[in-house]
Structure formats: C-alpha cells, structure tokens
Amino acid sequence: MSTNTTIPTLDGQTTFPAYVSRPQGTPRGAIIVVQEVFGVEKGIMKKADDWAARGYLAVAPDVFWRQEPGVELDADVPEQFQKAIGLMMGHDFNLGIQDIEATIHWIRREQGVAKVGLVGFCMGGKIAYMAATRTDVDASVGYYGVGIDEMLGESHAIAKALMLHIPTADGFVTPDKQRIMHDGLDPNPHCTLHDYEGLDHGFAAEVGTRRDEAGATLADQRTADFFAQHVG
C-alpha cells in the first residue's frame, strides 16, 4: 500500500488513508492531489512528491477506500483498466467530496497550513470541479475531468479560482461536451479553461503510454503558475 497517513472523516467516526509528501522547511501552502481511477499509484505519488519539491505539503487521499483501500492499477493492462472503470462507477461522489472537505480541514487544522489548492486527474478532474463548487478550497485545477458538463448547474457556487485542462481529442469527453463546458464556464471570471489541440485523455500521466511530454509540460507549468498565484 502506497499510503502513509490516515485522515479523520468529516463525521469523525473513522479515518481514511492518504499519501502525504512533505517539503523541506515550512510549507508555502498545500496541494491535494486527487487520483485517476487507478488509485494512489506510483504516478500520483510522483505528482505529490513533485509538489513537495516545490515547497508544498502534498496530500493524495485514497478516493476508493470505501470500496477497496490501497488499490493500485495499471492503465496499460486491459483487465486492470476495466476494474478501474468499475470502481469509478461504484464511487459515491457526493460522499467522496466530504472526504475532500475533511482533507482540507485536516491540512488547515492539524497541519497548520492555511492555503490549500487541489489538482485532480480524470475522475479527479471532476472532483476538482466539485471542490470548487462545494468546498472553500482556495484554488482547483482539473485535468481532463469527466462529467463536468453534467454539473454546470452548480457553477454559480464557484467563488475561488478554477482551471481546467481540456484535451480536444479526449475519447471520454466528446467535442459536444467540451463545447457545453466552455459555454457554461467561459463567462465565469473565476474560471480558466485551456484546450490542448489533438491531445487525448491522460496526456499528463506520469507513467505508461498515454503521456504527451509537450502537452504535459505546458499544462503542468500553467498549473504551477496558477497555484503560485492563488495558494503561495
């Protein structure tokens, strides 16, 4: 299991696992890293470690802990990919966003870090949008988020900065859905949407065959600049 910390649930009845990577010295802020459907695997741990290297306290909660704690799957293995999709389909997003809120509380109250950003990938990209609409996180970034087009009725609640990275050839988010996202969010002054022409879902993955180096580098630099502005 890759996790190394437990965080109390919002109701205080139990705890859930998370991978925490700490910077040297006092954190400049905190970044919550929300997994894809493959769990807190080595790619997500690398992303957390990279944020810690930039001076942030990085926390990657285990989103699937209620179904199968500690799951780590490989996107390039078809059977594991299908299992990951099944876990996402069985995930209670409304309950899960409470775990994100609990993580924010833990960072601020137990770790003493006031400013908190959140970055999520795929399923985590949807969770990043939900965090922007349902929590008081200071800034959120979503990479190739799925299902955001179906949740635009919540966009009026976005009160802090939100950035979305949208690959135009995303096999899970069709051009029609991308257009709906732009139409719904472009007028919102809190929202910044970046399109990546010709790139597919998962282009910023740290491991495996899906990564596009140029696209990932551009998106990650935009994200780093965004958090430097809004988190610290």
Side-chain angles (χ1 to χ4, degrees):
M1 179 181 289
S2 60
T3 54
N4 57 13
T5 306
T6 58
I7 295 173
T9 52
L10 204 58
D11 62 10
Q13 296 301 303
T14 187
T15 62
F16 57 89
Y19 174 73
V20 175
S21 188
R22 298 181 182 276
Q24 293 185 351
T26 302
R28 60 191 287 190
I31 305 296
I32 300 171
V33 182
V34 185
Q35 66 184 60
E36 295 185 82
V37 294
F38 309 108
V40 182
E41 39 70 72
K42 57 185 177 181
I44 292 299
M45 288 189 288
K46 182 182 184 304
K47 289 186 181 296
D49 291 342
D50 288 347
W51 286 115
R54 290 178 177 268
Y56 296 94
L57 173 69
V59 184
D62 183 352
V63 172
F64 290 147
W65 68 276
R66 289 182 176 86
Q67 298 180 76
E68 185 175 337
V71 66
E72 298 179 43
L73 302 170
D74 188 333
D76 292 330
V77 178
E79 295 82 3
Q80 294 188 33
F81 187 94
Q82 290 305 315
K83 178 178 179 177
I85 296 298
L87 287 168
M88 180 184 70
M89 297 298 291
H91 178 63
D92 185 330
F93 283 87
N94 292 321
L95 197 56
I97 200 67
Q98 295 182 26
D99 296 335
I100 298 300
E101 189 171 1
T103 303
I104 296 169
H105 289 179
W106 180 79
I107 289 169
R108 289 178 175 157
R109 298 171 184 175
E110 302 300 324
Q111 302 302 303
V113 182
K115 287 279 194 174
V116 182
L118 183 148
V119 58
F121 304 84
C122 176
M123 172 189 72
K126 175 180 178 178
I127 292 171
Y129 175 81
M130 294 176 69
T133 63
R134 301 189 189 185
T135 78
D136 65 348
V137 72
D138 292 289
S140 301
V141 177
Y143 285 67
Y144 28 88
V146 294
I148 294 174
D149 58 296
E150 300 172 355
M151 305 188 74
L152 294 176
E154 298 186 23
S155 64
H156 67 277
I158 298 173
K160 304 282 183 66
L162 169 67
M163 176 183 285
L164 298 177
H165 299 298
I166 304 171
T168 63
D170 192 331
F172 296 100
V173 184
T174 62
D176 284 347
K177 293 179 179 180
Q178 295 172 34
R179 188 161 46 250
I180 290 170
M181 290 165 62
H182 273 289
D183 289 346
L185 296 176
D186 282 343
N188 189 318
H190 298 294
C191 299
T192 303
L193 278 62
H194 293 294
D195 292 325
Y196 297 81
E197 194 65 37
L199 296 191
D200 200 353
H201 194 86
F203 74 85
E206 295 291 341
V207 297
T209 61
R210 299 174 298 154
R211 184 176 177 85
D212 180 272
E213 192 63 38
T217 299
L218 175 59
D220 289 348
Q221 187 58 56
R222 285 169 166 168
T223 300
D225 293 343
F226 181 80
F227 283 143
Q229 178 183 355
H230 297 289
V231 179

